[in-house]
Amino acid sequence: MAGPQHSACGDAWADCSQAMRSLCLAFPFLSSLLSCLNMAGCWHLYSSLSLQHERGSPGHFSVYKVFESVAKKYDVMNDSMTLGIHRVWKDILVHKMNPSPGTLLLDVAGGTGDIAFRFINYVRSVRERQLQQKLKHHQNLSWQEISESYQEDKSKSLGDSQVVVCDINKEMLKVGKQKAQHLGYSEGLSWVLGNAEELPFDDDKFDVYTIAFGIRNVTRIDLALQEAYRVLKPGGRFLCLEFSHVSNPLLSRLYDLYSFQVIPVLGEVIAGDWKSYQYLVESIRRFPPQEEFKAMIEDAGFFKVDYQNLNLGIVAIHSGFKL
């Protein structure tokens, strides 16, 4: 006869299996991911680790330690947790920003550089188009004059644009710097250790402030929003990409199942870190709904605040202006 612990594990397995069947029916692309993870082994791991967690393993640990722990595997886990969709969300954020050459961007909680690199690529693309248009209007110049003019302008591929990446975590910044070096990003890019609630910058300094998947992890969201307002120039724009709340009840239920029953397992299997990814999921659920966060942004002094839901509200982009 099975003992109580064996029965509990069996129940956990049955619940997880049923949850995963529902998820795979709703999201067929999950099947290939889950088959790659050898689900039988993973769910045995899930049962044992969740029981340990309930029995009193340390539940409270600092946000700093979380990101220090996950820094080296952060990009891999983002791909695993979102099935790579986070890349599309970040692309949408930068296209919504629509920066032009000369834009000064502050990217907060951007340690691994994802937004900064996209910003640089976008500005370079705009700058290249501007140079091509300029050359079309100089048809009467000699080839040598055109070449010299092009090379001179080409040397300033960002047109005086700059992006400052600010993060409170040294390990995240270290990973970002390594990525930048590996990918060849150096012009117009700087890295600053700093707290979103007390930014080490002067007033009215930046054209755009971005924070992607970071604001839910600050202790005082209201202070972070006030600091964003302070460092932006008049006319500057605030943009926040963050996990949010799904409005569709069925999808919300499936999303919860995936978040709480799959993501921590992925964290253990891929990064060897159950607790950090359990925290990340819980922090998503504690974050205010779209309308409530919109009101918080308005309370900080921003105008023309709105938001765009992506993937039915799994994430949202909030936007506001300092006028």
Side-chain angles (χ1 to χ4, degrees):
M1 183 174 178
Q5 182 174 344
H6 186 273
S7 175
C9 289
D11 291 343
W13 165 260
D15 291 344
C16 291
S17 298
Q18 180 59 46
M20 291 316 303
R21 281 195 292 271
S22 300
L23 281 166
C24 289
L25 285 173
F27 306 106
F29 52 78
L30 284 177
S31 298
S32 57
L33 171 67
L34 299 181
S35 63
C36 293
L37 290 174
N38 186 358
M39 288 307 296
C42 287
W43 286 122
H44 176 74
L45 179 65
Y46 172 85
S47 299
S48 61
L49 286 173
S50 59
L51 286 170
Q52 291 172 21
H53 184 72
E54 290 170 4
R55 287 172 181 168
S57 58
H60 177 75
F61 51 109
S62 72
V63 175
Y64 186 93
K65 289 292 184 183
V66 169
F67 286 93
E68 186 177 57
S69 171
V70 304
K72 292 181 180 179
K73 296 278 189 176
Y74 190 70
D75 290 335
V76 175
M77 279 306 303
N78 274 343
D79 283 332
S80 301
M81 288 165 58
T82 68
L83 306 176
I85 302 173
H86 74 100
R87 298 173 182 271
V88 178
W89 295 333
K90 291 168 182 174
D91 287 340
I92 293 172
L93 175 69
V94 174
H95 278 80
K96 192 176 183 72
M97 185 196 314
N98 190 27
S100 58
T103 299
L104 183 57
L105 168 66
L106 173 63
D107 183 37
V108 176
T112 58
D114 276 7
I115 301 302
F117 303 153
R118 282 169 169 78
F119 169 82
I120 291 172
N121 290 341
Y122 192 98
V123 172
R124 281 178 177 169
S125 177
V126 172
R127 179 71 171 158
E128 184 69 25
R129 289 197 299 271
Q130 289 179 346
L131 292 178
Q132 290 174 355
Q133 288 296 321
K134 179 180 177 181
L135 291 176
K136 286 181 180 179
H137 291 89
H138 290 79
Q139 298 295 329
N140 295 327
L141 295 178
S142 68
W143 176 86
Q144 184 176 357
E145 290 172 325
I146 291 174
S147 177
E148 289 174 354
S149 175
Y150 182 78
Q151 291 303 323
E152 182 181 348
D153 290 335
K154 184 76 171 178
S155 65
K156 298 180 179 179
S157 63
L158 294 178
D160 297 323
S161 289
Q162 292 185 30
V163 52
V164 178
V165 179
C166 181
D167 201 294
I168 196 172
N169 194 288
K170 292 180 181 178
E171 287 301 312
M172 295 291 281
L173 287 173
K174 181 180 177 181
V175 171
K177 290 177 182 178
Q178 290 171 344
K179 282 175 61 181
Q181 184 176 10
H182 176 71
L183 297 172
Y185 293 102
S186 59
E187 180 191 358
L189 175 62
S190 58
W191 308 84
V192 175
L193 186 68
N195 187 341
E197 299 172 32
E198 193 175 353
L199 293 170
F201 306 109
D202 294 335
D203 297 356
D204 305 330
K205 182 175 179 64
F206 297 95
D207 299 304
V208 183
Y209 172 113
T210 55
I211 183 165
F213 303 119
I215 202 163
R216 74 180 189 278
N217 296 308
V218 303
T219 306
R220 291 279 304 275
I221 293 175
D222 57 333
L223 291 183
L225 292 172
Q226 289 170 22
E227 281 291 272
Y229 186 88
R230 180 183 67 79
V231 300
L232 280 170
K233 298 175 183 177
R237 189 175 191 183
F238 168 87
L239 284 166
C240 175
L241 171 65
E242 188 55 87
F243 288 106
S244 200
H245 291 253
V246 179
S247 56
N248 182 287
L250 175 60
L251 180 59
S252 179
R253 173 63 176 160
L254 294 172
Y255 179 45
D256 282 345
L257 290 170
Y258 176 72
S259 297
F260 286 101
Q261 299 186 19
V262 176
I263 288 177
V265 173
L266 290 173
E268 181 66 29
V269 172
I270 295 174
D273 191 341
W274 172 282
K275 289 197 301 181
S276 292
Y277 287 91
Q278 180 71 23
Y279 161 79
L280 292 176
V281 170
E282 291 170 353
S283 70
I284 292 170
R285 292 304 179 272
R286 289 194 298 268
F287 191 69
Q290 288 89 324
E291 285 292 331
E292 184 178 338
F293 185 49
K294 176 186 175 184
M296 293 176 71
I297 298 170
E298 291 171 336
D299 289 344
F302 289 99
F303 290 88
K304 297 187 68 176
V305 179
D306 60 15
Y307 61 87
Q308 175 186 357
N309 283 328
L310 304 178
N311 293 88
L312 300 176
I314 290 178
V315 300
I317 297 175
H318 280 75
S319 170
F321 293 87
K322 177 178 178 177
L323 302 178

